[in-house]
Amino acid sequence: MMVRRLLLVLSLATTAAAQQKGWEKEWNETLAAAKKEGRVAVAGSPDPVMRNEIIPKFTSRFGIQVEFIAGRAVQYIAKVKTERSAGIYSVDLFMTGVDSTVNTLYPEKLIDPLRPLMILPEVIDGAKWKTGKLWFIEPEERYILRVFRSVSGHLFYNAEHVKAEEVRAAKDLLNPKWRGKISTDDPMVNGTGANNAAMLYSELGADFVKRLFIDQNMVFSRDRRQYTDWLARGTYPICLSCREDDLKALRKDGFKLVEVFDLSDVSTRVNGSPWLLTYANKAPHPNAARVFANWIASKEGLEIYSRGYGAATLRTDVEESFLDRATVPRPGVKYFDDTEWSWTITGRKSARENMQQLLREHGKK
């Protein structure tokens, strides 16, 4: 009996060692091929953490350059589609928001399955993830990888001009005091501004959206730097679309910019921002794409991004003490998930279209 047990243990150990050698061999071959390719082309939002921390660290670690195609998703995806009509395939990976990923990249078949690329044990081990597995959010569970789940703020305000008690509810924004004092990312194009407006339309109705976006003379912009600057200067001391990573440096310089996570009359939300990861089909640098995809989903890659952006990851081993505690979902609390599949493809799409039609009827383009 003892001999049989010993043989079983040795057999299992041998199998585990062979599996480990198998992934290591495949990884080393992929890495060698990736270095020959020399670069990986990644399209995404112009996040400071990407340029200042992620790209330098990745290039230093693997000797692979990152061509970062940064901008609004609607713009670089349009460019990708134009290039493809001419037979040009220039992007390897997309790090894109939920709406563009779910409603454009996926249904228009601009992406291939990402799951087969994932190979590092620390990435594919379900114990390393709060969800118990890599979370591919679409029905096939192969294309769209989600690695973040954070409580999302409703707005930012400049505390030199706005008091905390003045913005306890969304309806407080209808105070005549704030007429001409609120900015947002343009809700007439798909993106953060449209998604936020769609959520308000869904929860508080058309009349509220009209009173806030039209009657309150809200200012629209498609330039993140512009509405961030407006907030800091107090030109428009309430911002519905500003981002934590854009404000960190300003806070260090002494600007009193406050994020509001709870409003009494709308749901507290979680989302998958800053991005969902997908793999472009006919990727020009498939091996470099595989290396980047595995590394960005690893403990090192995600912790760097989490620190720089201020978002909670889905990994169990990423340090969270540096995060604003309000951004980390609390156990037992029910949140509205703004990245949930059915809401994204049906509820939000319908609310967004209705909201944009309403604004067009009042002269917005």
Side-chain angles (χ1 to χ4, degrees):
M1 182 66 72
M2 290 296 294
V3 173
R4 287 182 180 177
R5 288 180 179 175
L6 179 59
L7 288 174
L8 178 59
V9 170
L10 289 173
S11 176
L12 291 174
T14 302
T15 301
Q19 289 175 341
Q20 183 176 20
K21 288 181 180 178
W23 80 258
E24 286 179 339
K25 180 176 182 294
E26 187 175 357
W27 177 252
N28 289 333
E29 289 174 350
T30 299
L31 185 56
K35 289 181 177 179
K36 288 183 180 179
E37 292 170 351
R39 66 176 56 247
V40 59
V42 181
S45 176
D47 299 341
V49 64
M50 186 70 179
R51 290 195 183 280
N52 300 335
E53 300 180 58
I54 291 294
I55 292 175
K57 174 62 75 172
F58 177 79
T59 299
S60 173
R61 181 165 298 287
F62 297 107
I64 301 168
Q65 298 297 315
V66 178
E67 178 187 352
F68 187 40
I69 304 158
R72 294 185 70 96
V74 291
Q75 295 172 334
Y76 62 69
I77 292 175
K79 180 175 181 290
V80 164
K81 293 197 290 188
T82 299
E83 289 178 343
R84 288 185 173 202
S85 66
I88 300 170
Y89 292 82
S90 60
V91 175
D92 295 298
L93 295 164
F94 295 100
M95 298 170 69
T96 307
V98 60
D99 193 65
S100 295
T101 302
V102 171
N103 292 315
T104 303
L105 296 179
Y106 175 77
E108 296 187 19
K109 302 186 185 303
L110 300 177
I111 54 178
D112 275 346
L114 174 64
R115 183 182 285 278
L117 274 64
M118 311 313 280
I119 182 176
L120 288 181
E122 69 155 304
V123 172
I124 62 176
D125 181 2
K128 300 297 184 182
W129 298 95
K130 297 173 184 176
T131 47
K133 62 179 180 178
L134 278 173
W135 190 4
F136 287 88
I137 66 170
E138 89 294 342
E140 296 93 331
E141 298 186 8
R142 290 168 56 81
Y143 290 86
I144 305 171
L145 179 62
R146 177 175 177 178
V147 293
F148 292 96
R149 184 175 183 266
S150 291
V151 180
S152 57
H154 295 286
L155 58 89
F156 285 87
Y157 66 84
N158 185 322
E160 296 286 353
H161 302 269
V162 182
K163 298 176 183 178
E165 59 269 22
E166 293 179 305
V167 282
R168 298 296 190 192
K171 292 179 180 178
D172 290 339
L173 300 175
L174 301 180
N175 187 327
K177 179 178 181 178
W178 307 129
R179 188 172 190 277
K181 295 294 183 179
I182 305 171
S183 71
T184 183
D185 185 68
D186 190 350
M188 299 306 292
V189 294
N190 291 350
T192 303
N195 290 343
N196 290 342
M199 190 72 178
L200 292 171
Y201 186 98
S202 174
E203 292 209 30
L204 298 178
D207 182 65
F208 175 83
V209 168
K210 174 187 174 294
R211 292 171 66 193
L212 178 60
F213 286 79
I214 301 300
D215 299 346
Q216 284 293 76
N217 196 25
M218 191 182 296
V219 177
F220 301 172
S221 175
R222 300 182 186 181
D223 186 340
R224 274 170 50 183
R225 289 175 297 181
Q226 185 176 55
Y227 50 71
T228 299
D229 182 68
W230 286 340
L231 176 69
R233 293 176 181 275
T235 309
Y236 301 100
I238 299 175
C239 177
L240 302 190
S241 306
C242 288
R243 292 171 39 150
E244 173 63 25
D245 57 325
D246 291 330
L247 300 179
K248 281 189 173 182
L250 293 168
R251 284 205 183 101
K252 288 180 180 179
D253 289 339
F255 289 91
K256 298 178 180 180
L257 309 176
V258 180
E259 187 169 11
V260 176
F261 292 92
D262 295 300
L263 294 172
S264 62
D265 49 357
V266 291
S267 301
T268 301
R269 298 174 288 173
V270 293
N271 64 31
S273 292
W275 44 262
L276 300 170
L277 184 65
T278 54
Y279 177 48
N281 49 32
K282 296 188 179 181
H285 314 100
N287 294 288
R290 188 178 203 184
V291 174
F292 187 90
N294 277 270
W295 180 77
I296 198 63
S298 71
K299 179 181 186 298
E300 180 180 55
L302 277 186
E303 189 160 301
I304 292 171
Y305 220 110
S306 178
R307 284 181 180 272
Y309 188 86
T313 81
L314 283 165
R315 288 193 66 100
T316 58
D317 54 0
V318 166
E319 177 63 41
E320 294 182 338
S321 62
F322 54 81
L323 293 173
D324 182 332
R325 299 309 300 171
T327 68
V328 181
R330 300 186 297 276
V333 176
K334 185 177 181 180
Y335 297 96
F336 183 92
D337 192 340
D338 200 33
T339 309
E340 192 270 331
W341 182 259
S342 61
W343 160 247
T344 302
I345 64 172
T346 56
R348 179 162 64 198
K349 184 177 180 181
S350 175
R352 184 181 65 245
E353 291 172 351
N354 289 335
M355 172 274 299
Q356 290 173 337
Q357 178 59 34
L358 173 68
L359 297 187
R360 278 193 291 271
E361 290 172 359
H362 290 84
K364 299 297 183 181
K365 298 179 180 180

